[in-house]
Coordinates of all heavy atoms in Angstrom, one line a residue:
M28 N 71.6 70.3 166.6 CA 73.0 70.1 166.2 C 73.9 70.2 167.4 O 73.7 71.0 168.3 CB 73.4 71.0 165.1 CG 72.9 70.7 163.7 SD 73.7 71.6 162.4 CE 72.6 72.9 162.2
S29 N 75.1 69.5 167.3 CA 76.0 69.6 168.4 C 76.7 71.0 168.4 O 76.8 71.6 167.4 CB 77.0 68.5 168.3 OG 77.9 68.7 167.3
L30 N 77.2 71.3 169.5 CA 78.0 72.6 169.7 C 79.2 72.6 168.8 O 79.5 73.6 168.2 CB 78.3 72.8 171.2 CG 79.0 74.1 171.5 CD1 78.1 75.3 171.1 CD2 79.3 74.1 173.0
A31 N 79.9 71.5 168.8 CA 81.2 71.4 168.0 C 80.9 71.5 166.5 O 81.6 72.2 165.8 CB 81.9 70.1 168.3
R32 N 79.8 70.9 166.1 CA 79.4 71.0 164.6 C 79.1 72.4 164.3 O 79.5 72.9 163.2 CB 78.3 70.0 164.3 CG 77.9 70.0 162.9 CD 76.9 68.9 162.6 NE 76.7 68.8 161.2 CZ 75.6 69.3 160.5 NH1 74.6 69.8 161.3 NH2 75.4 69.2 159.3
N33 N 78.3 73.1 165.1 CA 77.9 74.5 164.9 C 79.1 75.3 164.8 O 79.2 76.2 163.9 CB 77.0 75.0 165.9 CG 75.6 74.4 165.7 OD1 75.2 74.0 164.7 ND2 74.8 74.4 166.8
A34 N 80.1 75.1 165.7 CA 81.3 75.9 165.7 C 82.1 75.7 164.5 O 82.6 76.7 163.9 CB 82.1 75.6 167.0
L35 N 82.3 74.5 164.0 CA 83.0 74.2 162.8 C 82.3 74.8 161.6 O 83.0 75.3 160.7 CB 83.2 72.7 162.7 CG 84.2 72.1 163.7 CD1 84.2 70.5 163.6 CD2 85.6 72.6 163.5
L36 N 81.0 74.7 161.5 CA 80.3 75.2 160.4 C 80.5 76.8 160.3 O 80.7 77.3 159.3 CB 78.8 74.9 160.4 CG 78.5 73.4 160.0 CD1 77.0 73.1 160.3 CD2 78.9 73.1 158.6
R37 N 80.4 77.4 161.5 CA 80.5 78.9 161.5 C 82.0 79.2 161.1 O 82.2 80.2 160.4 CB 80.2 79.4 162.9 CG 80.3 80.9 162.9 CD 80.0 81.5 164.3 NE 78.6 81.5 164.7 CZ 77.7 82.4 164.3 NH1 78.1 83.3 163.4 NH2 76.5 82.4 164.8
A38 N 82.9 78.5 161.6 CA 84.3 78.8 161.3 C 84.6 78.6 159.8 O 85.4 79.4 159.2 CB 85.3 77.9 162.1
S39 N 84.0 77.6 159.2 CA 84.2 77.4 157.8 C 83.7 78.5 156.9 O 84.2 78.6 155.7 CB 83.6 76.0 157.4 OG 82.2 76.2 157.3
K40 N 82.8 79.3 157.4 CA 82.3 80.4 156.6 C 82.9 81.7 156.9 O 82.5 82.7 156.3 CB 80.8 80.5 156.8 CG 80.0 79.2 156.4 CD 78.6 79.3 156.7 CE 77.9 78.0 156.3 NZ 76.5 78.0 156.7
S41 N 83.8 81.8 157.8 CA 84.4 83.0 158.3 C 85.5 83.5 157.4 O 86.6 82.8 157.2 CB 85.0 82.8 159.7 OG 85.8 83.9 160.1
Q42 N 85.3 84.6 156.7 CA 86.4 85.2 155.9 C 87.6 85.6 156.7 O 88.7 85.5 156.3 CB 85.8 86.5 155.2 CG 84.8 86.1 154.1 CD 85.4 85.4 152.9 OE1 86.6 85.6 152.6 NE2 84.6 84.6 152.3
W43 N 87.3 86.2 157.9 CA 88.4 86.6 158.8 C 89.3 85.4 159.2 O 90.5 85.5 159.1 CB 87.9 87.3 160.0 CG 89.0 87.7 161.0 CD1 89.7 88.8 160.9 CD2 89.5 86.9 162.1 NE1 90.6 88.9 161.9 CE2 90.5 87.7 162.7 CE3 89.2 85.7 162.6 CZ2 91.3 87.2 163.8 CZ3 89.9 85.3 163.7 CH2 90.9 86.0 164.3
L44 N 88.7 84.3 159.6 CA 89.4 83.1 160.0 C 90.2 82.6 158.8 O 91.4 82.2 158.9 CB 88.5 82.1 160.6 CG 89.2 80.9 161.2 CD1 90.1 81.3 162.3 CD2 88.1 79.9 161.7
A45 N 89.6 82.6 157.6 CA 90.3 82.1 156.4 C 91.5 82.9 156.1 O 92.6 82.4 155.8 CB 89.4 82.1 155.2
S46 N 91.4 84.2 156.2 CA 92.6 85.1 156.0 C 93.7 84.9 157.0 O 94.9 84.9 156.7 CB 92.2 86.6 155.9 OG 91.8 87.0 157.1
Q47 N 93.3 84.7 158.3 CA 94.2 84.4 159.4 C 95.0 83.1 159.1 O 96.2 83.1 159.3 CB 93.5 84.4 160.7 CG 93.0 85.7 161.1 CD 94.1 86.8 161.3 OE1 95.1 86.5 162.0 NE2 93.9 87.9 160.7
M48 N 94.3 82.1 158.8 CA 94.9 80.8 158.6 C 95.8 80.7 157.4 O 96.9 80.1 157.4 CB 93.9 79.7 158.5 CG 93.1 79.5 159.8 SD 94.1 79.2 161.3 CE 94.7 77.6 161.0
T49 N 95.5 81.4 156.3 CA 96.4 81.4 155.2 C 97.7 82.2 155.4 O 98.6 82.0 154.7 CB 95.7 82.0 153.9 OG1 95.2 83.3 154.2 CG2 94.5 81.1 153.5
Q50 N 97.7 83.0 156.4 CA 98.9 83.8 156.8 C 99.8 83.1 157.8 O 100.9 83.5 158.0 CB 98.5 85.2 157.3 CG 97.8 86.0 156.3 CD 97.3 87.3 156.9 OE1 97.6 87.7 158.0 NE2 96.4 88.0 156.1
R51 N 99.3 82.0 158.4 CA 100.1 81.3 159.4 C 100.9 80.2 158.8 O 100.4 79.3 158.2 CB 99.2 80.8 160.5 CG 98.2 81.9 161.1 CD 99.0 82.8 161.9 NE 98.1 83.8 162.5 CZ 98.3 85.1 162.5 NH1 99.3 85.6 161.9 NH2 97.4 85.9 163.1
A52 N 102.2 80.2 159.1 CA 103.1 79.1 158.6 C 102.7 77.7 159.0 O 102.7 76.8 158.2 CB 104.5 79.4 158.9
F53 N 102.3 77.6 160.3 CA 102.0 76.3 160.8 C 100.7 75.7 160.1 O 100.7 74.5 159.8 CB 101.7 76.3 162.3 CG 100.4 76.8 162.7 CD1 99.3 76.0 162.9 CD2 100.3 78.2 163.0 CE1 98.1 76.5 163.3 CE2 99.0 78.7 163.4 CZ 97.9 77.9 163.5
A54 N 99.8 76.5 159.7 CA 98.6 76.1 159.0 C 99.0 75.7 157.6 O 98.5 74.6 157.1 CB 97.5 77.1 159.0
R55 N 99.8 76.4 156.9 CA 100.2 76.1 155.6 C 101.0 74.8 155.5 O 100.7 73.9 154.7 CB 101.1 77.2 155.0 CG 100.3 78.4 154.6 CD 101.1 79.3 153.7 NE 102.4 79.7 154.3 CZ 102.6 80.8 155.1 NH1 101.6 81.6 155.4 NH2 103.8 81.0 155.5
R56 N 101.8 74.5 156.5 CA 102.5 73.2 156.6 C 101.6 72.1 156.9 O 101.8 71.0 156.3 CB 103.6 73.3 157.7 CG 104.8 74.1 157.3 CD 106.0 73.9 158.3 NE 105.6 74.2 159.7 CZ 105.7 75.3 160.3 NH1 106.1 76.4 159.7 NH2 105.3 75.4 161.6
A57 N 100.6 72.3 157.7 CA 99.7 71.2 158.0 C 98.8 70.8 156.9 O 98.5 69.6 156.8 CB 98.8 71.7 159.2
V58 N 98.5 71.6 156.0 CA 97.6 71.3 154.9 C 98.3 71.0 153.6 O 97.7 70.6 152.6 CB 96.5 72.3 154.6 CG1 95.6 72.5 155.8 CG2 97.1 73.6 154.2
K59 N 99.6 71.2 153.5 CA 100.4 71.1 152.3 C 100.2 69.7 151.6 O 100.1 69.6 150.4 CB 101.9 71.4 152.5 CG 102.6 71.4 151.2 CD 103.9 72.2 151.3 CE 104.6 72.3 150.1 NZ 104.1 73.2 149.1
R60 N 100.2 68.6 152.4 CA 100.0 67.3 151.8 C 98.7 67.1 151.1 O 98.6 66.5 150.1 CB 100.2 66.2 152.9 CG 100.0 64.8 152.3 CD 100.2 63.8 153.4 NE 99.9 62.5 152.7 CZ 100.0 61.4 153.3 NH1 100.4 61.3 154.6 NH2 99.7 60.2 152.7
F61 N 97.7 67.7 151.7 CA 96.3 67.5 151.1 C 95.9 68.6 150.1 O 95.0 68.4 149.4 CB 95.3 67.4 152.3 CG 95.6 66.3 153.2 CD1 96.2 66.6 154.4 CD2 95.4 65.0 152.9 CE1 96.5 65.6 155.3 CE2 95.7 64.0 153.8 CZ 96.2 64.3 155.0
M62 N 96.6 69.7 150.2 CA 96.3 70.8 149.3 C 97.6 71.4 148.8 O 98.1 72.3 149.5 CB 95.4 71.8 150.1 CG 94.7 72.8 149.2 SD 93.6 73.7 150.2 CE 93.5 75.1 149.2
P63 N 98.1 70.9 147.7 CA 99.5 71.3 147.3 C 99.6 72.7 146.8 O 100.7 73.2 146.7 CB 99.8 70.3 146.2 CG 98.5 69.9 145.7 CD 97.5 69.9 146.9
G64 N 98.5 73.4 146.6 CA 98.6 74.8 146.1 C 97.2 75.4 145.9 O 96.2 74.7 146.1
E65 N 97.2 76.5 145.3 CA 95.9 77.2 145.0 C 95.4 77.0 143.6 O 94.3 77.3 143.3 CB 96.1 78.7 145.3 CG 96.5 79.1 146.7 CD 95.3 79.3 147.5 OE1 94.2 79.7 147.0 OE2 95.4 79.2 148.8
R66 N 96.3 76.5 142.7 CA 95.9 76.4 141.3 C 95.8 74.9 140.9 O 96.4 74.1 141.5 CB 96.9 77.1 140.4 CG 97.0 78.6 140.7 CD 98.0 79.4 139.8 NE 99.3 78.7 139.9 CZ 100.3 79.0 140.8 NH1 100.0 79.9 141.7 NH2 101.4 78.4 140.7
L67 N 95.1 74.7 139.8 CA 95.0 73.4 139.2 C 96.4 72.8 138.9 O 96.7 71.7 139.1 CB 94.1 73.4 138.0 CG 93.9 72.0 137.3 CD1 93.3 71.0 138.2 CD2 93.0 72.2 136.1
S68 N 97.2 73.7 138.3 CA 98.6 73.2 137.9 C 99.4 72.7 139.1 O 100.2 71.8 139.0 CB 99.3 74.4 137.2 OG 99.5 75.5 138.1
D69 N 99.2 73.3 140.3 CA 99.8 72.8 141.5 C 99.4 71.4 141.9 O 100.2 70.6 142.2 CB 99.5 73.8 142.7 CG 100.1 75.2 142.5 OD1 101.1 75.3 141.8 OD2 99.4 76.1 143.1
A70 N 98.1 71.2 141.7 CA 97.6 69.8 142.0 C 98.1 68.8 141.0 O 98.4 67.7 141.4 CB 96.1 69.8 142.1
L71 N 98.1 69.2 139.8 CA 98.6 68.3 138.7 C 100.1 68.0 138.9 O 100.5 66.8 138.7 CB 98.4 68.9 137.3 CG 96.9 69.0 136.9 CD1 96.7 69.7 135.6 CD2 96.3 67.6 136.9
D72 N 100.9 69.0 139.3 CA 102.3 68.7 139.6 C 102.5 67.8 140.7 O 103.3 66.9 140.7 CB 103.0 70.1 139.9 CG 103.2 71.0 138.7 OD1 103.0 70.5 137.6 OD2 103.4 72.2 138.9
A73 N 101.7 67.9 141.8 CA 101.8 67.0 142.9 C 101.4 65.6 142.5 O 102.0 64.6 143.0 CB 100.9 67.5 144.1
A74 N 100.3 65.5 141.7 CA 99.9 64.1 141.2 C 101.0 63.5 140.4 O 101.3 62.3 140.6 CB 98.6 64.3 140.4
Q75 N 101.7 64.2 139.6 CA 102.8 63.7 138.8 C 103.9 63.3 139.7 O 104.6 62.2 139.4 CB 103.2 64.8 137.8 CG 104.2 64.2 136.8 CD 104.6 65.3 135.7 OE1 104.3 66.5 135.9 NE2 105.2 64.8 134.6
T76 N 104.2 64.0 140.7 CA 105.3 63.6 141.7 C 105.0 62.3 142.4 O 105.9 61.5 142.6 CB 105.5 64.8 142.7 OG1 105.8 65.9 142.0 CG2 106.6 64.4 143.7
L77 N 103.7 62.1 142.7 CA 103.3 60.9 143.4 C 103.2 59.6 142.5 O 103.2 58.5 143.0 CB 102.0 61.1 144.1 CG 102.0 62.2 145.2 CD1 100.6 62.5 145.7 CD2 102.8 61.7 146.4
S78 N 103.0 59.9 141.2 CA 102.8 58.8 140.3 C 103.9 57.7 140.3 O 103.6 56.5 140.3 CB 102.6 59.3 138.9 OG 102.3 58.3 138.0
P79 N 105.2 58.0 140.3 CA 106.2 57.0 140.3 C 106.1 56.0 141.5 O 106.5 54.9 141.4 CB 107.5 57.8 140.3 CG 107.2 59.1 139.7 CD 105.8 59.4 140.1
A80 N 105.6 56.6 142.6 CA 105.5 55.7 143.8 C 104.2 54.9 143.8 O 103.8 54.3 144.8 CB 105.5 56.6 145.1
R81 N 103.5 55.0 142.7 CA 102.2 54.3 142.5 C 101.2 54.7 143.5 O 100.4 53.9 144.0 CB 102.4 52.8 142.5 CG 103.3 52.3 141.3 CD 103.4 50.8 141.2 NE 102.1 50.1 141.1 CZ 101.4 49.9 140.0 NH1 101.8 50.5 138.9 NH2 100.3 49.2 140.0
I82 N 101.2 56.0 143.8 CA 100.2 56.6 144.6 C 99.1 57.3 143.7 O 99.5 58.3 143.1 CB 100.8 57.6 145.7 CG1 101.8 56.8 146.5 CG2 99.7 58.2 146.5 CD1 102.5 57.7 147.5
G83 N 97.9 56.7 143.7 CA 96.9 57.3 142.8 C 96.4 58.6 143.5 O 96.4 58.8 144.7
T84 N 95.9 59.5 142.6 CA 95.3 60.8 143.1 C 94.0 61.1 142.6 O 93.6 60.6 141.5 CB 96.3 61.9 142.8 OG1 96.4 62.0 141.4 CG2 97.6 61.8 143.4
I85 N 93.2 61.8 143.3 CA 91.9 62.3 142.9 C 91.9 63.8 143.1 O 92.2 64.2 144.3 CB 90.7 61.7 143.7 CG1 90.7 60.2 143.4 CG2 89.4 62.3 143.2 CD1 89.7 59.5 144.3
I86 N 91.7 64.6 142.1 CA 91.8 66.0 142.2 C 90.3 66.5 142.2 O 89.6 66.2 141.3 CB 92.6 66.7 141.1 CG1 94.1 66.1 141.2 CG2 92.6 68.2 141.2 CD1 94.9 66.5 140.0
T87 N 90.0 67.3 143.3 CA 88.6 67.8 143.4 C 88.6 69.3 143.4 O 89.5 69.9 144.0 CB 87.9 67.2 144.6 OG1 88.7 67.6 145.8 CG2 87.8 65.7 144.6
D88 N 87.6 69.8 142.8 CA 87.3 71.3 142.9 C 86.4 71.6 144.0 O 85.2 71.2 144.0 CB 86.7 71.7 141.6 CG 86.2 73.1 141.6 OD1 86.6 73.9 142.5 OD2 85.5 73.5 140.7
W89 N 87.0 72.1 145.1 CA 86.1 72.4 146.3 C 85.7 73.8 146.5 O 84.9 74.2 147.3 CB 86.8 71.9 147.5 CG 88.1 72.5 147.8 CD1 89.3 72.1 147.4 CD2 88.3 73.7 148.6 NE1 90.3 73.0 147.8 CE2 89.7 73.9 148.6 CE3 87.5 74.6 149.2 CZ2 90.3 75.1 149.2 CZ3 88.1 75.7 149.9 CH2 89.5 75.9 149.9
A90 N 86.3 74.7 145.7 CA 86.0 76.1 145.8 C 84.9 76.5 144.8 O 84.7 75.8 143.9 CB 87.3 77.0 145.5
R91 N 84.3 77.6 145.1 CA 83.3 78.1 144.2 C 84.0 78.6 142.9 O 85.0 79.3 142.9 CB 82.5 79.2 144.8 CG 81.7 78.7 146.0 CD 80.9 79.8 146.5 NE 80.3 79.3 147.8 CZ 79.5 80.0 148.5 NH1 79.1 81.2 148.1 NH2 78.9 79.5 149.6
R92 N 83.4 78.3 141.8 CA 83.9 78.8 140.5 C 83.2 80.1 140.2 O 82.1 80.4 140.5 CB 83.5 77.8 139.4 CG 84.1 76.5 139.5 CD 83.6 75.6 138.5 NE 84.0 74.2 138.7 CZ 84.6 73.5 137.8 NH1 84.8 74.0 136.6 NH2 85.0 72.3 138.1
S93 N 84.0 81.0 139.5 CA 83.3 82.2 139.1 C 82.5 81.9 137.8 O 82.9 81.0 137.1 CB 84.4 83.3 138.7 OG 85.1 82.9 137.6
P94 N 81.4 82.6 137.6 CA 80.6 82.2 136.4 C 81.3 82.3 135.1 O 81.0 81.6 134.2 CB 79.5 83.3 136.5 CG 79.5 83.8 137.9 CD 80.9 83.6 138.4
A95 N 82.3 83.2 135.0 CA 83.1 83.4 133.8 C 84.2 82.3 133.5 O 84.8 82.3 132.5 CB 83.6 84.8 133.7
S96 N 84.4 81.5 134.5 CA 85.6 80.6 134.4 C 85.1 79.2 134.6 O 84.4 78.9 135.5 CB 86.6 81.0 135.5 OG 87.6 80.0 135.5
A97 N 85.7 78.3 133.8 CA 85.4 76.9 133.9 C 86.5 76.2 134.7 O 86.5 75.0 134.9 CB 85.2 76.2 132.6
I98 N 87.6 76.9 135.0 CA 88.7 76.3 135.7 C 88.6 76.5 137.2 O 88.3 77.6 137.7 CB 90.0 77.0 135.2 CG1 90.2 76.8 133.7 CG2 91.2 76.5 136.0 CD1 91.3 77.5 133.1
P99 N 88.8 75.5 138.0 CA 88.6 75.6 139.5 C 89.6 76.6 140.0 O 90.7 76.8 139.5 CB 88.9 74.2 140.0 CG 89.2 73.4 138.9 CD 89.1 74.2 137.6
T100 N 89.2 77.4 141.0 CA 90.1 78.3 141.7 C 90.9 77.7 142.7 O 92.0 78.2 143.0 CB 89.3 79.5 142.3 OG1 88.3 79.0 143.2 CG2 88.6 80.3 141.2
K101 N 90.5 76.6 143.3 CA 91.3 75.9 144.3 C 91.1 74.5 144.2 O 90.0 74.0 143.9 CB 90.9 76.4 145.8 CG 91.2 77.8 146.0 CD 91.0 78.2 147.4 CE 91.3 79.6 147.6 NZ 91.4 80.0 149.0
C102 N 92.1 73.7 144.5 CA 92.0 72.2 144.3 C 92.5 71.5 145.6 O 93.4 72.0 146.3 CB 92.8 71.7 143.1 SG 92.2 72.3 141.6
A103 N 91.9 70.4 145.8 CA 92.4 69.5 146.9 C 92.8 68.2 146.3 O 92.3 67.8 145.2 CB 91.3 69.3 148.0
I104 N 93.7 67.5 146.9 CA 94.2 66.2 146.3 C 94.0 65.1 147.3 O 94.3 65.3 148.5 CB 95.7 66.4 145.9 CG1 96.1 65.2 145.0 CG2 96.6 66.6 147.0 CD1 97.4 65.4 144.3
T105 N 93.5 64.0 146.9 CA 93.4 62.8 147.8 C 94.2 61.7 147.2 O 94.3 61.5 146.0 CB 91.9 62.4 147.8 OG1 91.1 63.5 148.2 CG2 91.7 61.2 148.7
T106 N 95.0 61.0 148.1 CA 95.9 60.0 147.6 C 95.4 58.6 148.0 O 94.8 58.4 149.1 CB 97.3 60.2 148.1 OG1 97.3 60.2 149.5 CG2 97.8 61.6 147.6
S107 N 95.9 57.6 147.3 CA 95.6 56.2 147.7 C 96.7 55.3 147.0 O 97.1 55.6 145.9 CB 94.2 55.7 147.3 OG 94.1 55.7 145.9
R108 N 97.1 54.3 147.8 CA 98.1 53.4 147.2 C 97.4 52.4 146.3 O 96.3 52.0 146.5 CB 98.8 52.6 148.4 CG 99.6 53.5 149.2 CD 101.1 53.0 149.1 NE 101.9 53.9 149.9 CZ 103.0 54.4 149.5 NH1 103.5 54.1 148.3 NH2 103.7 55.2 150.3
R109 N 98.1 52.1 145.2 CA 97.6 51.1 144.3 C 98.1 49.7 144.6 O 99.1 49.5 145.1 CB 98.0 51.4 142.8 CG 97.2 52.6 142.4 CD 97.5 52.8 140.9 NE 97.6 54.3 140.7 CZ 98.2 54.8 139.7 NH1 98.7 54.1 138.8 NH2 98.2 56.1 139.6

């Protein structure tokens, strides 16, 4: 595997890096368009806001679910023009 791929995979699993990035304002601003919040309700609100502009959305559950919960803990949103 390439060096860059290995570095990105290692970074994606780092708890320390995750906590650092969630505390940085520049990182929150950079991902706000693609990840409107931490809860499903945040993603649904963003989808509703985009709907009048005829921008379709796909909401995906990318975080691990706890065994006791059927509700995603984190959501990402993908947009496309109709």
Side-chain angles (χ1 to χ4, degrees):
M28 285 193 265
S29 73
L30 183 61
R32 182 171 187 256
N33 286 337
L35 289 173
L36 286 173
R37 185 183 281 285
S39 74
K40 296 176 184 175
S41 169
Q42 292 291 332
W43 178 84
L44 189 56
S46 69
Q47 292 298 308
M48 293 308 287
T49 57
Q50 295 173 12
R51 306 291 184 228
F53 76 90
R55 286 194 306 271
R56 286 191 307 267
V58 300
K59 187 157 180 82
R60 176 177 177 177
F61 302 102
M62 198 169 154
E65 298 270 336
R66 297 181 308 273
L67 177 60
S68 61
D69 297 329
L71 293 174
D72 290 343
Q75 187 175 16
T76 301
L77 295 171
S78 183
R81 298 186 52 83
I82 299 174
T84 57
I85 298 171
I86 299 171
T87 56
D88 171 13
W89 60 269
R91 294 182 187 184
R92 298 173 187 233
S93 72
S96 173
I98 300 174
T100 55
K101 295 186 181 192
C102 294
I104 191 167
T105 305
T106 62
S107 64
R108 292 243 179 226
R109 288 187 220 161

